[in-house]
Amino acid sequence: MKWMLRILLVSMLLGPLAAADGIFPFEYREVKLDNGFTAYLIDAGSPGQLAYVTIVRTGSRDEWEPGRSGYAHFFEHMMFRGTEKYPNFDEVLTAIGADSNAFTSSDMTVYHIVASSESLPTLVDLESDRFQNLSYDESEFRTEAGAVLGEFNQGRANPFSFLFEKLLDTAFDKHTYKHTTIGFEADVRSMPEGFDYSRSFFERYYRPENVVLVVAGDFDFDNAEQLIRSHYSGWQRGYRPPQITPEPEQTAPREATVHFPGSALPAMVVAYKIPAWKPDSRLAVAVEVLGQVAFGPNSDIYRELVVDSQTVQFIQGDFGTQRDPGLGAVFAAATDQQKLYRAQRAIEAAVERFTSQPPSQEALNTAKRYMRYDYLMDLETARDVAFSLIGTVVNTGGIEAINTFYQTLEKVTPEDVMEAARLVLQKDKRTIVTLLPAGMEREPEMRMDEAGSFPDVVTLPEPDSPFVSFNIWFKAGSQNDPPGKEGLAALTAAVLEDSSTRNNSYEQILAKLYPMAAGYSSSVDKEMTVFRGTVHKDNLDEYYGLFTDAILAPAFKEEDFQRIKSRLMSYLERQRRFSSDEELGKELLFREIFRGTPYEHPEEGYVETVRALTLQDVKDFYAGNYLRGNVVMGVAGDYPENMPRRLRSDFDALPAGSTDPVPAPQPQPIEGLNVLIVEKDTSATAISMGYPYDLLRSDDDFYAMMLANSWLGEHRSSASHLYQVIREARGMNYGDYSYIEAYPLGHTISLPPQNVARRKQIFQIWIRPVSGLQEGDLHNRALFATRAALREFQDLVDDGMTQQEFEITRGFLKNYTVNYGSTLSRRLGYRIDDYFYGIEDEPHLESIKSELDALSLEDVNQAIKRYLQYDDMWIVFITKDAEGLKRLLVSGAASPIEYPGEKPEEILSEDRIIQAFPLPVQDDKIKIIHINDVLER
């Protein structure tokens, strides 16, 4: 491909050179210091931006001492505590508008920052300082332990966390892969007492010879190398490898069952012991290929179980290898146990087939092509490029092996895949774990036979991009669901996205998309239905036909409809109410605010309404809403000159007309504080609060409110005020944020979503689940966090922002919002939203900096007075003992809390004010509903 470059290993003294043939398409320089520290400088484009990624080759794998699991992850949290030189780490990042975060896995801990290129000297100084001079006291340590406990409890709300935890514990006896990254529960709860151990953890593992830095993006190599040498050369060696006990050979199959404390789909994982990552071994690489050919989305078993028989809701294989010998696994979920048994038999049949005969050359070539394009499709941003190298760095200490791996991949033969199957897919090395919902007993297996106007085109040409993105917007959403058929818009879009067309069966579509490592998706919001897709330009023609066929030529097969409806029903009956209290709380808040309006019901509908939907309903909705006058098409990237005309011509095939307009929702006025409490057996309380208001992206005050909200509760920003007060100073939960626009799925994304544009918005505050530290204190802690949030919100409304707060936040936003358009698809999504709001002549992404520059403190504080208020709102709690929480609210009693360690007097003094902050809630303003009745109808 013409955009690929050549790669050579470069010495410390030479500039970036083109390198030998390989898949990695960017020039880079390796910088090695005498103390063992390694840095890779990569020219990854992304004008004006860079990613600064520090990889510590230590993860939960390295937690070998008894009682100390989870410390790699815990220490990731402590690394944000600052140093003597930079005691306020977050403030420095805020000032330069950086997007900073970190994650931990079994083999690594990774710290990543995306910022403007000009901030490189600051980043080098900041990061080198905290990795050498991290400083925190025991009080800070104990505070963070509370946040980690909150994260642990949050994870326990996910059934697959239970399944994965049980799998590791069952499959491993001695190796540290036995525990999950967050650690055993007993170890997490004892963390507040581990202050001294945490310091030794830092001294042993955070050493230069165990750390690799990747800087990718737009910057000067020579300047970067000079900065790195001057700041990291003084870091002293001292890495002490962990004393990891090798895992004994497994000699017999293992099985276990785990019960999830809530509603969930029955699920199963079938796992096998596999070798460690070795990029120059055809056999080791063939293990990864085996996972794709045997259990990937283009495999026979996927078509058999998901598409044809609809035995399972999904099946997914993961045979990616780790630093040490680990597990290759196949996950599946179904609506009942007997279907899981059938899935297990199908997996066993696939194992027998691949261990006795090689795959076809065609199937192997397809898998290879997919793996290659799957890698290339993830190289769009500077962060993408840096992240693409993490696994190679962790496993080998360098990045050179990425080319070795793909060179080895090309040499893999069908016979290699069969040999790999014989090596790993052995019954004696197998572990099967089944997850069942609470109250469901294990059943014995029953063996049985399976008897308008011309469409608009929005263009965003980017000739330097290797990709082409599409965004097709239909001006109809869940507000267009007929009464009694709530969820129909969402089900219709899902059927179009995930079904056969008149030109290709669903199996053929999957087979054709797979080698391109591409796909397409749909999303339905209140007023928008959007279909998106991105493909490497090499594959544009083939992809375009599949993508447009999905929208323009659906086959509407009954078997496809039943498969998709079954999947949606499983989500509605189980996952929506039991997998994420955070998202459920936000959904219920929105419902209470918009009762009696077209915005009231969730996009996915209710259990009872979706259950009654038919294929004919879907056909009727399609016929009435997928019209020429309803569609706006978008294309971005390096597309051919005729592509906009081609889109116009193809979509002109839709019937003429447009959907009758739906009046904008007019919610009923809210008087006082209104409370909804959802009764659920949970160890943490999720809290959401808010009210409707009249502010849209097209309004003059939008950017003033954007700035005020960023200061109060910027999503996933540790510098925001609510985060600092509730999470950082007190360690009560995992995060606290606020929003001036719809922000669905906030627990899974870090940047604002696109294509959720609405004519009516709400202001909301999201308090992530607050855990109890001891028996009986759950409600006090939840109310304390609520009071703390409302107190800070009231101060903002009454007093406004200070000049210093205004300047710091404006500087942060001007740099941070560069990330909003980090991918081609995101940029196109924003451009489509510009058309919704009627600001296409002043696009949002292109206007942010100039609009922020034009603001004054007076502008912001006046906007705060116009749009923010704290007297009339809804608050939603999801918690156990709802009646107990109601009694506390009505009584007006204070809600004091305790900490696992000491706190400074300034915090305790403020706590005494917070715990008594008024929550004027009357008995008749509180509703209680049981979790089993939530969104049922």
Side-chain angles (χ1 to χ4, degrees):
M1 287 174 284
K2 62 182 179 182
W3 69 291
M4 288 227 174
L5 305 173
R6 294 179 167 273
I7 301 175
L8 279 176
L9 298 179
V10 287
S11 71
M12 296 179 295
L13 302 179
L14 294 177
L17 300 176
D21 287 340
I23 194 170
F24 190 64
F26 304 102
E27 295 178 344
Y28 73 89
R29 177 185 297 181
E30 181 186 55
V31 179
K32 278 190 173 294
L33 305 185
D34 292 340
N35 59 7
F37 182 78
T38 302
Y40 289 96
L41 313 178
I42 303 171
D43 180 3
S46 298
Q49 188 185 65
L50 59 80
Y52 196 98
V53 180
T54 307
I55 305 163
V56 184
R57 299 178 70 204
T58 290
S60 56
R61 158 192 182 271
D62 301 75
E63 298 157 358
W64 58 277
E65 295 124 315
R68 300 301 189 184
S69 68
Y71 265 84
H73 168 257
F74 186 39
F75 207 79
E76 170 209 315
H77 285 237
M78 298 313 302
M79 283 291 289
F80 289 86
R81 282 292 165 179
T83 66
E84 183 176 341
K85 182 176 183 180
Y86 291 110
N88 299 310
F89 179 83
D90 290 325
E91 290 183 5
V92 179
L93 291 176
T94 299
I96 62 174
D99 178 15
S100 170
N101 216 320
F103 65 87
T104 308
S105 69
S106 58
D107 293 333
M108 71 191 88
T109 306
V110 178
Y111 302 85
H112 50 97
I113 302 174
V114 177
S116 62
S117 300
E118 62 190 23
S119 64
L120 180 60
T122 301
L123 294 181
V124 175
D125 191 35
L126 186 71
E127 288 293 80
S128 63
D129 181 56
R130 76 159 164 167
F131 274 83
Q132 298 176 66
N133 305 306
L134 180 67
S135 176
Y136 57 87
D137 59 28
E138 188 165 1
S139 174
E140 293 175 299
F141 178 83
R142 287 177 174 270
T143 294
E144 202 61 36
V148 172
L149 178 59
E151 187 177 355
F152 177 87
N153 286 324
Q154 172 193 338
R156 299 303 292 272
N158 186 333
F160 276 88
S161 293
F162 272 72
L163 181 62
F164 189 64
E165 181 179 20
K166 189 67 174 180
L167 169 65
L168 297 183
D169 191 38
T170 304
F172 292 98
D173 295 325
K174 300 294 184 181
H175 195 279
T176 46
Y177 284 162
K178 185 176 180 67
H179 61 262
T180 61
T181 299
I182 204 164
F184 294 121
E185 181 173 3
D187 296 350
V188 174
R189 292 193 176 277
S190 67
M191 279 178 175
E193 310 305 320
F195 175 71
D196 291 336
Y197 177 80
S198 75
R199 298 301 304 176
S200 73
F201 191 93
F202 180 63
E203 292 166 0
R204 282 183 290 165
Y205 296 132
Y206 280 64
R207 292 290 183 173
E209 63 270 45
N210 194 43
V211 176
V212 177
L213 170 65
V214 178
V215 184
D218 176 23
F219 59 95
D220 181 78
F221 276 24
D222 292 335
N223 178 51
E225 179 173 347
Q226 182 181 0
L227 287 168
I228 289 167
R229 289 187 178 280
S230 64
H231 285 75
Y232 286 96
S233 292
W235 194 0
Q236 297 299 307
R237 286 178 174 266
Y239 172 65
R240 283 175 276 169
Q243 301 176 30
I244 299 174
T245 303
E247 180 66 17
E249 183 176 357
Q250 184 174 331
T251 59
R254 303 176 182 184
E255 290 196 35
T257 301
V258 61
H259 283 84
F260 177 66
S263 180
L265 281 174
M268 172 184 290
V269 56
V270 181
Y272 296 87
K273 297 289 175 59
I274 62 175
W277 198 72
K278 194 173 181 182
D280 58 353
S281 166
R282 280 167 58 173
L283 188 60
V285 174
V287 170
E288 291 196 45
V289 180
L290 171 66
Q292 284 294 329
V293 176
F295 306 110
N298 195 51
S299 62
D300 291 340
I301 196 171
Y302 184 91
R303 287 189 289 273
E304 174 190 348
L305 296 180
V306 178
V307 182
D308 294 339
S309 68
Q310 300 175 28
T311 299
V312 299
Q313 299 291 302
F314 76 88
I315 186 167
Q316 178 178 330
D318 182 2
F319 278 66
T321 52
Q322 296 176 273
R323 190 169 180 179
D324 296 336
L327 293 177
V330 185
F331 295 86
T335 54
D336 62 63
Q337 292 184 52
Q338 296 305 318
K339 290 183 178 179
L340 278 186
Y341 285 126
R342 292 200 288 275
Q344 182 181 336
R345 293 202 303 273
I347 293 171
E348 291 170 351
V351 167
E352 182 177 352
R353 182 167 65 253
F354 279 91
T355 54
S356 60
Q357 63 186 46
S360 70
Q361 187 66 55
E362 180 183 4
L364 176 59
N365 291 342
T366 301
K368 288 180 179 182
R369 185 181 175 197
Y370 167 81
M371 294 172 71
R372 187 178 185 87
Y373 276 109
D374 187 46
Y375 177 79
L376 292 174
M377 291 289 287
D378 279 335
L379 298 178
E380 186 171 4
T381 68
R383 194 202 314 251
D384 292 340
V385 173
F387 273 29
S388 75
L389 300 170
I390 288 175
T392 310
V393 167
V394 168
N395 285 304
T396 68
I399 70 173
E400 298 81 9
I402 189 67
N403 284 329
T404 303
F405 175 86
Y406 284 94
Q407 289 163 2
T408 306
L409 174 65
E410 290 306 309
K411 300 175 183 176
V412 170
T413 66
E415 289 69 30
D416 292 331
V417 176
M418 182 176 66
E419 185 179 352
R422 290 173 174 172
L423 172 69
V424 301
L425 301 181
Q426 298 181 24
K427 185 175 181 179
D428 287 345
K429 296 181 179 180
R430 186 185 70 192
T431 300
I432 299 177
V433 179
T434 303
L435 177 138
L436 301 175
M440 180 181 289
E441 297 302 320
R442 184 72 181 264
E443 299 173 357
E445 180 180 3
M446 295 186 296
R447 298 270 183 172
M448 61 182 68
D449 293 331
E450 292 293 328
S453 58
F454 202 72
D456 296 316
V457 180
V458 178
T459 58
L460 189 62
E462 295 190 12
D464 292 334
S465 174
F467 308 121
V468 177
S469 284
F470 296 96
N471 186 304
I472 310 299
W473 162 36
F474 286 91
K475 301 174 184 178
S478 61
Q479 69 174 7
N480 300 91
D481 289 338
K485 297 184 185 294
E486 290 82 3
L488 180 54
L491 182 58
T492 301
V495 168
L496 298 184
E497 171 195 342
D498 207 19
S499 296
S500 306
T501 66
R502 293 194 294 271
N503 298 314
N504 287 283
S505 69
Y506 183 51
E507 296 92 328
Q508 290 171 324
I509 293 170
L510 294 177
K512 291 179 179 181
L513 287 172
Y514 174 77
M516 293 184 267
Y520 42 79
S521 63
S522 66
S523 66
V524 175
D525 195 61
K526 304 300 181 186
E527 307 201 33
M528 307 180 79
T529 294
V530 171
F531 296 85
R532 304 180 193 86
T534 299
V535 68
H536 196 281
K537 62 184 181 182
D538 290 356
N539 302 311
L540 176 58
D541 285 340
E542 185 179 7
Y543 176 84
Y544 176 82
L546 296 171
F547 176 67
T548 53
D549 265 4
I551 305 169
L552 300 175
F556 291 127
K557 291 184 177 180
E558 183 69 33
E559 57 265 34
D560 287 331
F561 170 76
Q562 292 298 337
R563 168 174 52 86
I564 294 163
K565 179 181 173 180
S566 174
R567 186 175 64 201
L568 179 56
M569 287 301 301
S570 295
Y571 167 75
L572 296 177
E573 293 177 322
R574 296 178 173 89
Q575 292 171 263
R576 179 164 66 180
R577 291 183 284 200
F578 296 97
S579 64
S580 174
D581 292 348
E582 304 174 310
E583 286 302 312
L584 180 60
K586 290 194 292 182
E587 181 63 61
L588 294 176
L589 172 68
F590 207 87
R591 186 184 187 210
E592 293 301 327
I593 289 174
F594 285 102
R595 277 195 179 274
T597 78
Y599 276 17
E600 176 181 342
H601 67 273
E603 290 81 3
E604 302 87 359
Y606 302 122
V607 173
E608 288 189 359
T609 59
V610 173
R611 183 181 292 122
L613 293 177
T614 66
L615 179 58
Q616 188 59 50
D617 292 325
V618 168
K619 292 179 179 179
D620 291 344
F621 189 90
Y622 179 83
N625 294 278
Y626 285 71
L627 305 170
R628 265 188 292 166
N630 273 4
V631 66
V632 175
M633 296 155 292
V635 59
D638 188 17
Y639 52 83
E641 183 179 357
N642 70 337
M643 182 55 70
R645 292 193 301 274
R646 187 175 178 185
L647 278 166
R648 283 179 180 272
S649 175
D650 289 343
F651 278 84
D652 193 33
L654 289 169
S658 59
T659 304
D660 292 338
V662 177
Q666 299 297 327
Q668 294 297 313
I670 302 172
E671 297 181 0
L673 294 185
N674 295 257
V675 176
L676 172 66
I677 307 175
V678 178
E679 173 75 47
K680 181 181 179 182
D681 186 12
T682 179
S683 58
T685 302
I687 308 163
S688 291
M689 61 187 81
Y691 60 89
Y693 71 149
D694 294 312
L695 178 73
L696 299 178
R697 195 177 294 177
S698 53
D699 293 332
D700 292 339
D701 284 328
F702 179 81
Y703 293 96
M705 284 301 301
M706 181 181 180
L707 190 148
N709 182 74
S710 181
W711 175 83
L712 179 67
E714 181 73 50
H715 180 72
R716 296 292 183 95
S717 171
S718 57
S720 64
H721 189 63
L722 291 177
Y723 187 101
Q724 288 291 318
V725 170
I726 301 172
R727 192 261 201 239
E728 188 72 6
R730 293 170 173 84
M732 298 191 69
N733 63 350
Y734 196 45
D736 306 275
Y737 316 111
S738 61
Y739 307 90
I740 61 172
E741 291 187 296
Y743 209 117
L745 299 177
H747 69 302
T748 64
I749 58 177
S750 59
L751 293 173
Q754 296 83 55
N755 306 141
V756 290
R758 302 176 182 181
R759 290 174 293 162
K760 191 74 172 183
Q761 297 283 5
I762 72 171
F763 175 83
Q764 66 173 309
I765 293 174
W766 175 31
I767 301 175
R768 303 195 76 172
V770 177
S771 302
L773 294 184
Q774 56 193 13
E775 188 68 29
D777 71 344
L778 179 62
H779 291 340
N780 270 352
R781 290 177 62 80
L783 290 181
F784 185 95
T786 303
R787 285 179 152 119
L790 285 173
R791 177 173 178 260
E792 301 306 324
F793 182 49
Q794 179 174 315
D795 286 347
L796 175 64
V797 176
D798 290 346
D799 302 332
M801 296 178 64
T802 68
Q803 187 69 40
Q804 182 181 26
E805 292 166 345
F806 168 77
E807 295 292 352
I808 290 174
T809 307
R810 179 164 64 175
F812 164 77
L813 273 180
K814 286 170 63 178
N815 290 294
Y816 179 70
T817 51
V818 171
N819 300 308
Y820 285 9
S822 57
T823 69
L824 185 66
S825 180
R826 288 184 61 85
R827 294 191 289 277
L828 182 57
Y830 271 111
R831 187 59 60 90
I832 292 291
D833 288 343
D834 292 338
Y835 277 74
F836 179 97
Y837 288 115
I839 56 173
E840 60 269 22
D841 293 334
E842 297 178 342
H844 177 55
L845 285 185
E846 298 172 20
S847 301
I848 292 175
K849 283 192 175 183
S850 60
E851 292 285 352
L852 291 173
D853 280 333
L855 287 176
S856 68
L857 175 62
E858 183 181 7
D859 294 331
V860 174
N861 285 338
Q862 286 179 353
I864 289 172
K865 290 293 187 183
R866 277 193 287 270
Y867 294 100
L868 300 185
Q869 57 86 22
Y870 47 79
D871 292 324
D872 307 308
M873 66 171 61
W874 273 96
I875 306 176
V876 176
F877 298 93
I878 300 180
T879 191
K880 64 182 176 182
D881 184 20
E883 290 290 348
L885 178 58
K886 178 179 178 179
R887 287 193 297 271
L888 273 178
L889 278 167
V890 173
S891 73
S895 51
I897 63 169
E898 296 181 357
Y899 298 100
E902 295 183 359
K903 286 289 179 187
E905 178 55 34
E906 62 186 74
I907 294 291
L908 298 178
S909 176
E910 188 177 36
D911 283 359
R912 288 188 284 273
I913 300 173
I914 294 173
Q915 69 188 36
F917 183 81
L919 282 178
V921 183
Q922 304 300 316
D923 183 276
D924 62 352
K925 293 293 185 72
I926 300 177
K927 297 196 300 186
I928 294 177
I929 185 174
H930 193 276
I931 188 64
N932 289 335
D933 297 323
V934 167
L935 301 179
E936 183 74 14
R937 61 185 66 84

